[in-house]
Amino acid sequence: MPDNAQLLLLDRDQAAALLQPDEVLAAVRESFRLHASGDGRIFPLVREALPAGVFGIKSGGVMTQDLLGMKAAGFWPGNRQYGADGHQATIMLFDPASGRPQCLIDGNAVTTARTAAAGALGLLALARPDSERLCVFGTGVQGAAHVDYALRVLPGLRRVRYLTSDGRRDPQFEARFAQRCDIAPGAGADAAVAASDIVITATTGRGALFSAQAVRAGTHLNCVGSDTRGKRELPEGMLALAHTWVDDLAQALSIGELQWAPQTPVQELGALLAADVPARHGIAADAITLFDMTGLALQDLSVARMLQRRALATGTGTHIAWPW
């Protein structure tokens, strides 16, 4: 057996520095294609409550591309009292021929970027191309990332209204986007939704954020926060009013918004992206569209592989001996 094997380590700052939005978008789009074609596999999800938080494992692989790996991630709210992120994620890539680990990556920035990129791809496929007004629930890491990517892929967006859990202004959030759009707090949940072309929900999923009646014809919704059994962001009856897409049907039924309305007719977004058709192809202009996002292991792995390649090309990261 070889005795010179090494394990590549990428810490938080190294991983974040290597993440380029265009490359992340390309990697996430590829992950959707692999999922739709069946070339990529996602393995059964682990998602369990612990005394201090929630722990999960998403894993999968693409054997034809020598890609195999997992992300161990979850949410530990107690971290916030120390000024640390409650969300924690670690990604590991393996050699599928031997099972040996190849790369260990801090997964927080990867999770944020790949989720926002998936949301952006949903916007490109399902939102009206003339959309100008966006409403976002949540101004945390995910909310900010989704607004960033939305502004990148839909240059026609002119106005952003945001809502926080406590109703207060978020000056830091406003400052981040002040040079790119008209940004201000929303004047109440229903009013902000009714005045928007796009609605993004990126909260902790404690309950319905607005009323279904507030959603106007032609609106698109990206729903991010429901990623565990018992979480929800949408009001009862919302899915019945919308044309709904998911990233993975089984996951959406288990941990997404679909857990609350399992009989809802849905399609997987990967099939739509693989068809490479114009935005809202075959969808009536006044139809409400919705993307229920639970996150694919293939998204994490495709982005992680991109980071591994960039790290090796640029000499980034730490190599440690990992002998057999």
Side-chain angles (χ1 to χ4, degrees):
M1 293 294 185
D3 59 3
N4 61 344
Q6 291 190 324
L7 178 65
L8 172 63
L9 307 181
L10 295 176
D11 66 22
R12 177 196 64 188
D13 296 335
Q14 292 166 338
L18 292 172
L19 287 167
Q20 301 298 317
D22 287 345
E23 293 185 2
V24 174
L25 280 165
V28 173
R29 182 182 289 275
E30 171 69 359
S31 72
F32 274 114
R33 186 194 68 78
L34 291 167
H35 184 251
S37 68
D39 292 336
R41 295 178 58 198
I42 57 174
F43 306 146
L45 174 73
V46 173
R47 193 79 171 168
E48 296 295 336
L50 303 176
V54 178
F55 176 70
I57 296 175
K58 289 181 177 178
S59 58
V62 186
M63 297 306 102
T64 58
Q65 297 184 6
D66 292 331
L67 178 62
L68 178 68
M70 68 175 187
K71 180 176 77 173
F75 182 62
W76 284 263
N79 290 0
R80 291 171 171 169
Q81 66 181 304
Y82 306 109
D85 193 343
H87 292 92
Q88 291 297 311
T90 304
I91 299 171
M92 181 166 279
L93 299 180
F94 300 87
D95 174 9
S98 66
R100 296 291 292 172
Q102 297 175 321
C103 187
L104 182 68
I105 305 174
D106 184 289
N108 282 15
V110 173
T111 301
T112 299
R114 66 83 155 150
T115 307
L121 293 173
L123 296 181
L124 286 171
L126 300 171
R128 298 196 325 272
D130 62 349
S131 295
E132 296 182 347
R133 301 169 297 177
L134 182 150
C135 165
V136 59
F137 288 82
T139 59
V141 172
Q142 278 292 342
H146 279 264
V147 172
D148 178 33
Y149 270 75
L151 292 171
R152 288 178 184 275
V153 302
L154 294 178
L157 286 176
R158 298 285 183 264
R159 192 187 77 174
V160 173
R161 295 294 179 260
Y162 68 89
L163 294 108
T164 59
S165 59
D166 58 10
R168 298 180 183 177
R169 294 187 75 106
D170 189 331
Q172 186 176 2
F173 186 77
E174 291 182 28
R176 177 168 177 170
F177 300 108
Q179 302 302 314
R180 301 170 65 185
C181 63
D182 167 17
I183 185 166
D190 279 6
V193 168
S196 298
D197 304 305
I198 294 170
V199 177
I200 298 174
T201 60
T203 74
T204 55
R206 293 178 180 149
L209 299 169
F210 51 86
S211 66
Q213 293 72 26
V215 182
R216 295 185 304 109
T219 300
H220 173 71
L221 299 92
N222 268 0
C223 304
V224 186
S226 292
D227 60 358
T228 304
R229 288 185 297 273
K231 281 189 174 185
R232 74 182 308 169
E233 296 178 305
L234 298 180
E236 186 174 352
M238 187 68 246
L239 289 175
L241 300 176
H243 296 251
T244 302
W245 279 259
V246 299
D247 43 19
D248 179 78
L249 178 57
Q251 279 190 188
L253 287 166
S254 174
I255 61 174
E257 290 291 343
L258 213 61
Q259 67 183 290
W260 304 105
Q263 304 306 316
T264 303
V266 301
Q267 302 174 61
E268 290 191 345
L269 185 68
L272 183 61
L273 297 180
D276 196 23
V277 296
R280 290 179 72 94
H281 177 72
I283 302 172
D286 62 350
I288 296 171
T289 53
L290 189 149
F291 180 27
D292 182 14
M293 306 171 55
T294 56
L296 297 176
L298 293 173
Q299 296 166 356
D300 298 303
L301 302 185
S302 293
V303 174
R305 177 176 56 183
M306 179 267 289
L307 293 183
Q308 179 191 28
R309 290 172 174 173
R310 292 201 72 210
L312 292 173
T314 59
T316 303
T318 301
H319 293 268
I320 64 172
W322 202 261
W324 286 57

Coordinates of all heavy atoms in Angstrom, one line a residue, residues 134-151 159-164 168-186 200 202:
L134 N -38.2 42.6 -4.9 CA -38.0 41.4 -4.1 C -38.2 41.7 -2.6 O -37.9 42.7 -2.1 CB -36.5 41.0 -4.3 CG -36.0 39.7 -3.6 CD1 -34.9 39.0 -4.4 CD2 -35.5 40.0 -2.2
C135 N -38.8 40.7 -2.0 CA -39.0 40.7 -0.5 C -38.3 39.5 0.1 O -38.4 38.4 -0.4 CB -40.5 40.6 -0.3 SG -41.0 40.2 1.4
V136 N -37.6 39.8 1.2 CA -36.8 38.7 1.8 C -37.2 38.7 3.3 O -37.2 39.7 4.0 CB -35.3 38.8 1.6 CG1 -34.8 40.1 2.1 CG2 -34.6 37.6 2.2
F137 N -37.5 37.5 3.8 CA -37.7 37.3 5.2 C -36.4 36.7 5.8 O -36.0 35.6 5.4 CB -38.9 36.3 5.5 CG -40.2 36.9 5.2 CD1 -40.7 36.9 3.9 CD2 -41.0 37.4 6.2 CE1 -42.0 37.5 3.6 CE2 -42.3 37.9 5.9 CZ -42.8 38.0 4.6
G138 N -35.8 37.5 6.7 CA -34.5 37.0 7.3 C -33.4 37.8 6.7 O -33.2 37.9 5.5
T139 N -32.5 38.3 7.6 CA -31.4 39.1 7.2 C -30.1 38.5 7.7 O -29.1 39.2 7.8 CB -31.5 40.6 7.7 OG1 -31.6 40.6 9.1 CG2 -32.7 41.3 7.1
G140 N -30.1 37.2 8.0 CA -28.9 36.5 8.5 C -28.0 36.1 7.3 O -28.1 36.7 6.2
V141 N -27.2 35.2 7.6 CA -26.2 34.8 6.6 C -26.9 34.3 5.3 O -26.5 34.7 4.2 CB -25.3 33.6 7.2 CG1 -24.4 33.0 6.1 CG2 -24.5 34.2 8.3
Q142 N -27.9 33.5 5.5 CA -28.6 32.9 4.3 C -29.4 34.0 3.6 O -29.4 34.1 2.3 CB -29.5 31.8 4.7 CG -28.8 30.5 4.8 CD -28.3 29.9 3.5 OE1 -28.7 30.3 2.4 NE2 -27.4 29.0 3.5
G143 N -30.1 34.9 4.3 CA -30.9 35.9 3.7 C -30.0 36.8 2.9 O -30.4 37.2 1.7
A144 N -28.9 37.2 3.4 CA -28.0 38.1 2.7 C -27.4 37.4 1.5 O -27.3 38.0 0.4 CB -26.8 38.5 3.6
A145 N -27.0 36.2 1.6 CA -26.5 35.4 0.4 C -27.5 35.3 -0.7 O -27.2 35.5 -1.9 CB -26.0 34.1 0.8
H146 N -28.7 35.0 -0.4 CA -29.8 34.9 -1.4 C -30.0 36.2 -2.1 O -30.3 36.2 -3.3 CB -31.0 34.3 -0.8 CG -31.0 32.8 -0.6 ND1 -31.5 32.0 -1.5 CD2 -30.4 32.0 0.3 CE1 -31.3 30.7 -1.2 NE2 -30.6 30.7 0.0
V147 N -30.1 37.3 -1.4 CA -30.2 38.6 -2.0 C -29.1 38.9 -2.9 O -29.2 39.4 -4.0 CB -30.4 39.7 -0.9 CG1 -30.4 41.1 -1.6 CG2 -31.7 39.5 -0.2
D148 N -27.9 38.6 -2.4 CA -26.7 38.9 -3.2 C -26.7 38.1 -4.6 O -26.5 38.7 -5.6 CB -25.4 38.4 -2.4 CG -24.1 38.6 -3.2 OD1 -24.0 39.5 -4.0 OD2 -23.2 37.7 -3.0
Y149 N -27.0 36.8 -4.5 CA -27.1 36.0 -5.8 C -28.3 36.5 -6.6 O -28.2 36.4 -7.9 CB -27.1 34.6 -5.4 CG -25.8 33.9 -5.3 CD1 -25.0 34.1 -4.2 CD2 -25.3 33.1 -6.3 CE1 -23.7 33.5 -4.1 CE2 -24.0 32.5 -6.2 CZ -23.3 32.7 -5.1 OH -22.0 32.1 -5.0
A150 N -29.4 36.8 -6.0 CA -30.5 37.3 -6.8 C -30.2 38.5 -7.6 O -30.5 38.6 -8.8 CB -31.7 37.5 -5.9
L151 N -29.5 39.5 -7.0 CA -29.1 40.7 -7.7 C -28.1 40.4 -8.7 O -28.0 41.1 -9.8 CB -28.5 41.7 -6.7 CG -29.5 42.3 -5.7 CD1 -28.8 43.1 -4.6 CD2 -30.6 43.2 -6.4
R159 N -35.6 46.9 -6.3 CA -36.1 47.2 -5.0 C -36.1 46.0 -4.1 O -36.6 44.9 -4.6 CB -37.5 47.8 -5.0 CG -37.9 48.5 -3.7 CD -39.3 48.9 -3.7 NE -40.2 47.8 -3.6 CZ -41.5 47.8 -3.5 NH1 -42.1 49.0 -3.5 NH2 -42.3 46.8 -3.3
V160 N -35.5 46.1 -2.9 CA -35.5 45.0 -1.9 C -36.2 45.5 -0.7 O -35.8 46.5 -0.1 CB -34.1 44.5 -1.7 CG1 -34.1 43.4 -0.5 CG2 -33.5 43.9 -2.9
R161 N -37.2 44.7 -0.2 CA -37.7 45.0 1.1 C -37.5 43.8 2.0 O -37.6 42.7 1.6 CB -39.3 45.3 1.0 CG -39.6 46.5 0.2 CD -39.1 47.8 1.0 NE -39.4 49.0 0.2 CZ -38.5 49.6 -0.5 NH1 -37.2 49.2 -0.6 NH2 -38.8 50.8 -1.1
Y162 N -37.1 44.0 3.2 CA -36.7 42.9 4.1 C -37.5 43.0 5.4 O -38.0 44.0 5.8 CB -35.2 43.0 4.5 CG -34.8 44.1 5.3 CD1 -34.8 44.0 6.7 CD2 -34.3 45.3 4.7 CE1 -34.4 45.1 7.5 CE2 -33.9 46.4 5.5 CZ -33.9 46.3 6.9 OH -33.5 47.3 7.7
L163 N -37.7 41.8 6.0 CA -38.4 41.7 7.3 C -37.5 40.9 8.3 O -37.0 39.8 7.9 CB -39.7 41.0 7.1 CG -40.7 41.9 6.3 CD1 -40.9 41.3 4.9 CD2 -42.0 42.1 6.9
T164 N -37.4 41.4 9.5 CA -36.6 40.7 10.5 C -37.6 40.1 11.5 O -38.8 40.4 11.6 CB -35.7 41.7 11.2 OG1 -36.5 42.7 11.8 CG2 -34.7 42.3 10.3
R168 N -37.2 45.0 13.8 CA -36.2 46.1 13.8 C -35.5 46.3 12.5 O -35.4 45.4 11.7 CB -35.2 45.9 14.9 CG -35.8 45.9 16.3 CD -34.7 45.7 17.4 NE -35.2 45.5 18.7 CZ -34.5 45.3 19.8 NH1 -33.2 45.2 19.7 NH2 -35.1 45.2 21.0
R169 N -35.0 47.5 12.2 CA -34.2 47.7 11.1 C -32.9 47.0 11.3 O -32.4 46.7 12.4 CB -33.9 49.2 10.9 CG -35.1 50.1 10.6 CD -34.6 51.5 10.3 NE -34.0 51.6 9.0 CZ -34.6 52.1 7.9 NH1 -35.8 52.6 8.0 NH2 -33.9 52.2 6.8
D170 N -32.2 46.7 10.1 CA -30.9 46.0 10.2 C -30.0 46.9 9.3 O -29.8 46.7 8.1 CB -31.0 44.6 9.6 CG -29.8 43.8 9.7 OD1 -28.7 44.4 9.8 OD2 -29.8 42.5 9.8
P171 N -29.3 47.9 10.0 CA -28.5 48.8 9.2 C -27.3 48.1 8.5 O -26.9 48.5 7.4 CB -27.9 49.7 10.3 CG -28.9 49.6 11.4 CD -29.4 48.2 11.4
Q172 N -26.8 47.0 9.1 CA -25.7 46.3 8.4 C -26.2 45.7 7.1 O -25.5 45.7 6.1 CB -25.1 45.3 9.4 CG -23.9 44.6 8.8 CD -23.3 43.6 9.8 OE1 -23.8 43.5 10.9 NE2 -22.1 43.0 9.5
F173 N -27.3 45.1 7.2 CA -27.9 44.4 6.0 C -28.2 45.5 4.9 O -27.9 45.3 3.7 CB -29.2 43.7 6.4 CG -29.9 42.9 5.3 CD1 -29.4 41.7 5.0 CD2 -31.0 43.4 4.6 CE1 -30.0 40.9 4.0 CE2 -31.6 42.6 3.6 CZ -31.1 41.4 3.3
E174 N -28.7 46.6 5.3 CA -29.0 47.7 4.3 C -27.7 48.2 3.7 O -27.7 48.4 2.5 CB -29.7 48.8 5.0 CG -31.2 48.5 5.5 CD -31.8 49.7 6.1 OE1 -31.5 50.8 5.8 OE2 -32.7 49.5 7.0
A175 N -26.7 48.4 4.5 CA -25.4 48.9 4.0 C -24.8 48.0 3.0 O -24.2 48.4 2.0 CB -24.5 49.2 5.1
R176 N -25.0 46.7 3.2 CA -24.4 45.7 2.3 C -24.9 45.8 0.8 O -24.2 45.6 -0.1 CB -24.7 44.3 2.8 CG -24.2 43.2 1.9 CD -24.2 41.8 2.5 NE -23.8 40.8 1.6 CZ -23.5 39.5 2.0 NH1 -23.6 39.2 3.3 NH2 -23.1 38.6 1.1
F177 N -26.2 46.3 0.7 CA -26.8 46.3 -0.6 C -27.2 47.7 -1.1 O -27.8 47.9 -2.2 CB -28.0 45.4 -0.6 CG -27.8 44.0 -0.3 CD1 -28.1 43.4 0.9 CD2 -27.1 43.2 -1.2 CE1 -27.9 42.1 1.2 CE2 -26.8 41.8 -0.9 CZ -27.2 41.3 0.3
A178 N -26.9 48.7 -0.3 CA -27.3 50.1 -0.6 C -26.9 50.6 -2.0 O -27.6 51.4 -2.6 CB -26.9 51.0 0.5
Q179 N -25.7 50.1 -2.4 CA -25.2 50.6 -3.7 C -25.7 49.8 -4.9 O -25.5 50.2 -6.0 CB -23.7 50.5 -3.7 CG -23.0 51.3 -2.6 CD -23.4 52.8 -2.7 OE1 -23.4 53.4 -3.7 NE2 -23.8 53.4 -1.5
R180 N -26.5 48.8 -4.6 CA -27.0 47.9 -5.7 C -28.5 47.9 -5.9 O -29.0 47.5 -6.9 CB -26.6 46.5 -5.4 CG -25.1 46.3 -5.3 CD -24.7 44.9 -4.7 NE -25.0 43.8 -5.6 CZ -24.9 42.6 -5.3 NH1 -24.4 42.2 -4.1 NH2 -25.2 41.6 -6.2
C181 N -29.2 48.5 -4.9 CA -30.7 48.5 -5.1 C -31.3 49.5 -4.0 O -30.6 50.0 -3.2 CB -31.3 47.1 -4.8 SG -31.0 46.5 -3.2
D182 N -32.6 49.7 -4.2 CA -33.3 50.5 -3.2 C -33.7 49.5 -2.1 O -34.5 48.6 -2.3 CB -34.5 51.1 -3.9 CG -35.6 51.6 -2.9 OD1 -35.2 51.8 -1.7 OD2 -36.7 51.8 -3.3
I183 N -33.1 49.6 -0.9 CA -33.4 48.7 0.1 C -33.9 49.3 1.4 O -33.4 50.4 1.8 CB -32.1 47.8 0.4 CG1 -32.4 46.7 1.5 CG2 -30.9 48.7 0.9 CD1 -31.3 45.7 1.6
A184 N -34.9 48.7 2.0 CA -35.5 49.3 3.2 C -36.4 48.2 3.9 O -36.7 47.2 3.2 CB -36.4 50.5 2.8
P185 N -36.7 48.4 5.1 CA -37.6 47.4 5.8 C -39.0 47.4 5.1 O -39.4 48.4 4.6 CB -37.7 47.9 7.2 CG -36.6 48.9 7.4 CD -36.3 49.5 6.0
G186 N -39.6 46.2 5.1 CA -40.9 46.1 4.6 C -42.0 46.7 5.6 O -41.8 46.6 6.8
I200 N -38.5 35.6 -0.9 CA -37.5 34.7 -0.4 C -37.7 34.5 1.1 O -37.7 35.5 1.8 CB -36.0 35.1 -0.7 CG1 -35.8 35.2 -2.3 CG2 -35.0 34.1 -0.1 CD1 -34.4 35.7 -2.7
A202 N -36.0 33.0 4.3 CA -34.7 32.4 4.8 C -34.7 32.6 6.3 O -33.8 33.4 6.8 CB -33.5 33.1 4.1

